[in-house]
Amino acid sequence: MNRRIFLKTSGLTLLGTALTPRVFARMAQASGTRGKKVLVAIFQRGAVDGLNMIVPYGESAYYSARPTIAIPKKDVLDLDGFFGAHPSLQSLLPFWKDRSLAIVQAAGSPDATRSHFDAQDFMESGTPGVKSTEDGFLARAMDPPNKEPLRALAISPSMPRILAGSNAVVATDIARYANAPSTKVFGSMYPEAFEASRILRTLGANSGTAYPRNPLGDALSQIARVIKSDVGLEIAFADAGGWDTHAAQGGIDGQLANNLRGFSEAMTAFANDLGSRMSDVVLITMSEFGRTVRQNGNRGTDHGHATVMLALGGNVKGGKVHGRWPGLASHQLFEGRDLAVTTDFRDVFAEVLTKHLGVPSMASVFPKYEARRVGLM
Amino acid sequence: MKRILLAGALLLVAATPRMAERQRAEHVLDRLAFGARPGDVEEVMRIGVDRWIDQQLHPERISDRAVESRVAKYQREVKLPTREEAKRDKKMARQAGRAAIGDLSAQRILRAAESERQLSEVMVDFWMNHFNVFAGKSIDRFLITSYERDTIRGHMWGRFEDLLMATAKSPAMLFYLDNARSRSGAINENYARELMELHTLGVDGGYAQKDVTELARVLTGWSISWGGPLARRAAAGPAGRGTADQRSAPQFIFRSAAHDQGAKSVLGVKLSGGGIDEGERMIRVLATHPSTARHLATKLCQRLVADDPPPALVDRVAKRFLDTRGDLRATVRAVVESPEFFDPKYYRAKVKSPFEYAISAVRAAGATIDNPLPLARQLKTIGQPLYFAQPPTGYSDKAEAWSNNGALVARLDFATALAANKMPGVRVRTDDAVLLAKKLGGPEFQKQ
């Protein structure tokens, strides 16, 4: 797709440049309308190819490992002279320039598993390598649990592991939940289930912001609506699927490019929708692992190790690719094939939970782990 | 020694508390069927619980003509559009894909709700989930019809190694996990990994990354023939057997030109010389491996007994699996005829999945399904669209996945609409819609 068509098909890009979170943050401070701090976590399930998402275009080994799926240097959106964003992330670029978008490259879990299920489980329990942990680390971050029914929200058909053990509201469609036809018959049988729906009925109207028509856009528009309604939300969670690109993942166009565009535009719409409230919000993206440095036999990539995480919000130290770059030379690779993890995903979350949400201690959130400073906040 | 063991086993049986006969009947209808219809409990008690189980373990002996005539109209031929056809008429191709999955969902729902071979339908649900294939992946929506009918239903009461081999050679799986495209020198390790992690050994079953890569090499060349004239003739066989559907459908093919002929080593098994035999041998090794026995026993007990099944039962089921060389009827029998299966503490101890919930509600209400397609759409609303689990793990079989307020309210909406006769395609006759809704939405009915 050429650039002209791309710009035409993503009108959201223009909105993104017009109003950026720093501007909103200043406006918010001026008017004194500060709300509760919120963390939004997005899980890119299926293991996103961090190397084609945030491209180390300054590294020749990247190009030799990926003869037909690498993102050419001329096509990346340059970030810092070494890394460049996939062109599909165009809509997020204004936030990078405005330093509201931070990137952590070579992030992940220290556990070596290449099983989707185990790696997601370890990441969401917050205890890599330990299978017996029953709750999710975001549930532990809300300890002591208080009675507020809408402190955590997951837009999901089932309780995500990361919030297991919490009383998070879980729904795919909060409007349907709020106006459930079963309320009259079952309100007294299940008072707790309908407590959240009562609050959801008080939400403000949907904003006019145009979200892309994909599941993440749909989830983030609902989350934004709840944040703006000031009903006590602190932690929100959504999934984004389709990253398991074993075959024909494409380069500047194709499967991964399309998925990244939808992902980027959903996040952009969210930030624009929240406007000044974005200064109270940090959005973090995560994925269970990355993908092989070398492309496989089918112009795709197999299960790897480290990947990339994004942090978007009013107060993150953005405009910078954080984390130590481990390099792509053979001897630098994890088990001789994958990008090595140099930033533990727990370091990223510990910093945001502590500095943004004000969680006093990480001792129970990430047991037996001493988080290291990333410099995101 | 033997006598002491026997005495111990007798003591165990005697020591395990038992359910009352009526509870036993309700329990088998909950776990080995999609819930009781009005009158079913009495019918099972009349037949006798043990005899009913035995009948269900031999579905081929149960006449199922009524439901077969009901599903006939949804057995339309599925034809994969050629690349040219799909290009020429995208709308037609989209509609054809939707029709294929619609027909398939309609059959699944009707059979789950009305088949006399209830345990078979429970096991179809189990094996389709164990060997999950995602209909949302491109042309897989055209391949799942044959996958369910021939691969899963055709092998699920036989030996596990035959079932495993059939899935390994099914176009649906070859396409879903990309093995069809894996070639010598250009491998794709997706299927090889899930074959060991999910289908056989289990994630802690004792394999390493090196085994994944080597197994992927073994399986290079296991691919799909897209149904050219030659493939059609081969499928028809010398006597021209096979339905029209099978003759035009994609088929398994071993492409020796794409196969890695080099020496390999998987799980300590040394292979040299190459060929399809290597893959077939490894499938048999995996199918009969002790880790596989343990993994399958755990999953079966999780599905049929409890989220955290008693270890002693898992051990015995795994042993039965190994002793019978993977006889699936004998293995399932080991679960359902165990004293633990009828331990009162497991009575209504499992949370129903959305599919189990919806079908059991329709059955309990004595509802008539005029059109199963709106029900298929409802399954999406309550969180479990048929054939659309994206990850190879399939849907969870444990309570925590399905227990949350939003999911509960979605189920309550389902119960309310069903009882009030507001569910399109389904008819309920009741004098008291609120009473019926409260029964179907009540805490007891969420469990089985």
Side-chain angles (χ1 to χ4, degrees), chain A residues 45 113-118 131 156-159 164 167-172 176-177 179-183 185-186 188-190 192-194 196-197 241-248 292 296-299 302-303 335 337, chain B residues 137 177-178 181-183 185-190 193-194 197-198 203-204 207 209 213 381-384 390 392-393 400-410 412-413 415-416 434 437-444 446:
Chain A
R45 289 200 198 275
T113 184
R114 291 184 183 86
S115 149
H116 290 298
F117 186 82
D118 268 9
K131 289 197 174 177
S156 171
S158 54
M159 177 68 85
N167 61 347
V169 171
V170 180
T172 49
R176 209 184 53 224
Y177 189 1
N179 303 306
S182 56
T183 310
V185 180
F186 289 101
S188 53
M189 193 187 283
Y190 298 102
E192 275 175 29
F194 289 93
S197 79
W243 307 102
D244 199 15
T245 50
H246 284 279
T292 45
N296 68 13
N298 306 122
R299 289 168 290 114
D302 291 321
H303 299 184
E335 296 183 350
R337 55 179 256 159
Chain B
K137 180 159 173 171
L177 292 179
D178 302 310
R181 322 168 71 145
S182 190
R183 305 185 317 277
I187 60 165
N188 189 311
E189 54 187 57
N190 198 9
R193 177 185 307 282
E194 306 303 7
E197 176 187 332
L198 301 176
V203 71
D204 299 317
Y207 62 93
Q209 173 59 37
T213 319
T381 307
I382 62 173
Q384 198 181 17
Q390 189 179 43
T393 13
E400 62 252 27
W402 308 116
S403 317
N404 65 76
N405 287 341
L408 173 62
V409 170
L412 300 178
D413 285 348
T416 308
V434 172
K438 283 192 165 161
K439 180 194 165 190
L440 301 179
E444 277 304 293
Q446 307 299 322

